Amino acid sequence: MSDGRRPMNLYERALERFGRSSAGLWFVTRVAPRVDPTLLRLSGGRVSSVYPIPVMLLTTIGAKSGQPRQLPLLYATDGDSLIVIASNYGRPGHPAWYRNLTANPTVEVLAGKRSGTYTAVEVTDPAERATAWDRALDVYAGYGDYEIRAAHRTIPVIRLVRA
């Protein structure tokens, strides 16, 4: 492909096009967070509502509450590490899970064979961030849309390193 992304099949292209639409945004903010935790638990982290796009069930510890918090997140891989993007769909502030990670960087991931305990590290080196961002865009080009919407803030890129 001319934009350097991995080739996608027809289903993946349609899924991504839907995800970048207003109906898709509604689905990923209202429906998927309610359905995916159950799908991911039942399938051992292999199947979500947007299969085959990689989605994990991330368990963090609440920054204020100290209680476990679970949420489904898209992820990209980089060797043994996982890359997650704290885009918050391009909204003005960082998502709550990002604040949880900065307070308590040890997390649990349910993502098939990649499941396990990880440590979260924000990617701040510009070259490393650019590489990780490109990997995330390869999984979901909509992150580029979120970056435009969130022009007033730098979207955090997080590397999850297996503990």
Side-chain angles (χ1 to χ4, degrees):
M1 297 186 77
S2 61
D3 61 0
R5 292 186 68 202
R6 68 179 169 77
M8 294 190 294
N9 64 37
L10 180 63
Y11 173 73
E12 290 174 308
R13 288 192 305 269
L15 192 59
E16 183 168 282
R17 197 171 308 114
F18 172 71
R20 295 175 76 178
S21 70
S22 57
L25 182 61
W26 178 84
F27 179 83
V28 299
T29 58
R30 308 290 175 148
V31 177
R34 296 173 198 265
V35 173
D36 283 346
T38 301
L39 287 174
L40 289 163
R41 275 190 223 92
L42 289 173
S43 69
R46 292 182 297 275
V47 177
S48 72
S49 63
V50 293
Y51 181 82
I53 295 172
V55 177
M56 70 170 65
L57 187 60
L58 180 72
T59 303
T60 63
I61 301 299
K64 292 181 182 179
S65 70
Q67 298 298 309
R69 304 290 182 210
Q70 290 190 322
L71 72 149
L73 282 179
L74 295 181
Y75 69 92
T77 58
D78 186 8
D80 289 337
S81 298
L82 305 177
I83 305 295
V84 292
I85 307 296
S87 65
N88 203 15
Y89 308 103
R91 294 176 181 147
H94 297 318
W97 64 263
Y98 170 74
R99 290 187 295 279
N100 293 346
L101 287 183
T102 58
N104 303 296
T106 301
V107 299
E108 290 295 323
V109 169
L110 179 62
K113 66 182 179 183
R114 293 184 177 88
S115 298
T117 303
Y118 287 79
T119 302
V121 179
E122 186 166 354
V123 179
T124 56
D125 174 72
E128 185 184 352
R129 186 186 186 286
T131 300
W133 183 260
D134 287 344
R135 287 184 183 274
L137 284 174
D138 192 43
V139 170
Y140 178 58
Y143 287 129
D145 301 339
Y146 300 159
E147 186 176 39
I148 291 168
R149 284 189 221 148
H152 62 283
R153 70 179 174 98
T154 301
I155 294 176
V157 175
I158 310 297
R159 177 178 302 281
L160 301 178
V161 180
R162 195 175 286 275

